[in-house]
Amino acid sequence: MIEVLNLALPFFGLIIIGFACGKIKQIPDTALGWMNFFIVYVSLPALFYRILAQTPLEQLAQVDFIVATTLSTFWVFAVAFAIGIAVTKGRIDQSTIAGLAGAYGNIGYMGPGLALSTLGPTAAVPVALIFCFDTLLLFSLVPFMMAIASPQKKSVASVALEVVKRIGTNPLVIASVLGILSAAVHFQPPVAAEKLMLFLSNASAPCALFTLGVTVALRPLKKVPWEMPMLTTVKLVMHPIIVFVLLSAFGPFEQMWVDTAVLMAALPPALNVFVFARQYDTWVEQASTAVLVGTVVSVLTLTTVMWMVKSGTLPPLLFR
C-alpha cells in the first residue's frame, strides 16, 4: 500500500498545489490560456506521438479491446444521461453535460502519466487506444445531442461538419494519427527532435495536473446538487465495473491491458466537461462541481483501484 501511495500522492499533490496557488494568488483564469495551449497543443501531443510511434503496429490492431472499452464509455454516458433527464425534467442539453460528467474521465491530463507510472511503459498502447476512441465517441456525441436539443439552430449537415472539424483538428488525435503512421513506416526522428519531444512529454503530467488544480480553485463551490453523488458514483465506481465486465465478455486480454482499462475508467471527470458546458452555456455550475467533487472523491477510489492493480488483487476476467 505504501508503494501505491507513493505513486498516487505526487499526482494528487500537484492538483492540491495548483488548488492552493489558485486560492492564495487570485490571478484571473484568463492567465491560464497559454498554459492550457501548451498542454493541449504541444506537450500532450508529443507524449501521444512518442507512445504510438514506438509501438509495433500489430499491437495497435486490438479491435476487441477498442470495442469493449468504447462501448463501456457509451453505456456509462447513457446511464448518466438518463440521470440528467430525470433531474432536469427532459432537458437534453443539460443531460448531455451530465452524461459527460459520468463518462468522460481525465484520460488526457491524468491518464497517461498515472498509468505509465503505475503499470510501466507497456501500458502506453492501451492508454493511447482508450484516449483516441473515447475522444472520437464523446466529441461526436456532444454536438449531435446539442443539435437535437436545439434543432432550429443548426442543420444535420452543419452539425456533421462541426463534428468532423472538431475531431480532425484535435491536436491529440492528429498526434496519434502521425504516431501510428510513423510506427507503420518505422520512422525514426532525428536525435535532437526525439530529445525535444521527450522534454515536452515529461512536462505534460506536471503542467496538466497543476493547471487542473488552479482551474478547480477558481470555480467556487456554492452547493452540491443532490444528483452529484449519483453521477460521481457512475463515473468512479460503475465505469470501472462495466469496463471489467465487457473486457471479460470480449476477451481474453493480457492482464496488463485489463489493468490499464480499469485504471483509466476509474479516473475522475475531465476538465473538458466544464469546457463543453461553458461552450454550450448550459449546466455550467453543475459541471464545475462535478469536476471538483469527482476529483476529491477519486483520491480514495482511484487509489483503491491502483492498489488492486499493483497488488494483483483485481479479480480475473469473469468469462474465462
Side-chain angles (χ1 to χ4, degrees):
M1 190 63 185
I2 295 298
E3 182 183 0
V4 173
L5 290 175
N6 287 336
L7 285 172
L9 289 179
F11 283 86
F12 290 111
L14 280 166
I15 297 174
I16 293 171
I17 290 172
F19 184 86
C21 292
K23 288 295 186 183
I24 295 170
K25 192 69 174 177
Q26 294 294 321
I27 301 174
D29 62 355
T30 53
L32 291 173
W34 279 111
M35 179 70 87
N36 284 319
F37 185 89
F38 171 77
I39 295 166
V40 174
Y41 285 86
V42 182
S43 184
L44 282 175
L47 173 64
F48 276 91
Y49 174 83
R50 292 187 72 251
I51 287 174
L52 292 169
Q54 296 173 5
T55 302
L57 192 61
E58 59 272 13
Q59 292 187 28
L60 299 174
Q62 298 285 339
V63 177
D64 289 346
F65 180 83
I66 292 168
V67 172
T69 54
T70 308
L71 187 59
S72 68
T73 300
F74 175 79
W75 281 6
V76 173
F77 176 89
V79 171
F81 179 83
I83 293 173
I85 287 290
V87 170
T88 64
K89 299 187 170 112
R91 287 286 301 272
I92 293 177
D93 53 347
Q94 295 183 8
S95 301
T96 298
I97 304 301
L100 280 181
Y104 196 174
N106 207 325
I107 52 178
Y109 278 19
M110 291 182 71
L114 189 66
L116 294 176
S117 63
T118 304
L119 298 167
T122 53
V125 181
V127 165
L129 291 176
I130 290 169
F131 172 83
C132 287
F133 287 93
D134 274 13
T135 299
L136 289 173
L137 171 68
L138 296 171
F139 276 38
S140 301
L141 270 175
V142 173
F144 276 113
M145 297 302 292
M146 292 302 181
I148 293 172
S150 303
Q152 74 281 4
K153 292 184 178 180
K154 290 185 178 181
S155 65
V156 173
S158 64
V159 172
L161 181 62
E162 179 185 341
V163 170
V164 172
K165 182 179 179 181
R166 181 180 290 275
I167 294 173
T169 57
N170 185 299
L172 301 179
V173 174
I174 293 172
S176 298
V177 171
L178 292 177
I180 293 172
L181 292 176
S182 296
V185 300
H186 303 287
F187 173 72
Q188 293 292 332
V191 175
E194 175 63 24
K195 288 185 176 180
L196 175 60
M197 286 190 289
L198 177 61
F199 291 156
L200 294 173
S201 301
N202 291 339
S204 60
C207 292
L209 296 173
F210 177 85
T211 302
L212 174 61
V214 173
T215 305
V216 169
L218 298 179
R219 307 277 175 259
L221 181 60
K222 298 178 182 178
K223 64 178 181 178
V224 178
W226 68 269
E227 70 270 19
M228 207 54 62
M230 290 189 291
L231 293 175
T232 302
T233 302
V234 168
K235 180 67 205 75
L236 300 180
V237 179
M238 184 181 291
H239 196 175
I241 292 174
I242 291 180
V243 164
F244 183 77
V245 171
L246 285 183
L247 288 176
S248 297
F250 282 84
F253 299 100
E254 294 181 18
Q255 188 60 43
M256 186 277 299
W257 285 63
V258 176
D259 292 343
T260 303
V262 172
L263 185 63
M264 293 284 281
L267 293 168
L271 188 60
N272 276 342
V273 175
F274 172 77
V275 173
F276 272 115
R278 189 162 60 177
Q279 176 184 346
Y280 290 102
D281 193 26
T282 183
W283 221 63
V284 176
E285 184 177 337
Q286 294 92 329
S288 176
T289 302
V291 174
L292 174 56
V293 172
T295 301
V296 171
V297 176
S298 72
V299 175
L300 175 61
T301 57
L302 184 56
T303 304
T304 301
V305 172
M306 290 175 65
W307 173 78
M308 295 175 68
V309 166
K310 288 292 290 184
S311 63
T313 56
L314 192 70
L317 291 179
L318 301 176
F319 310 126
R320 281 181 177 174

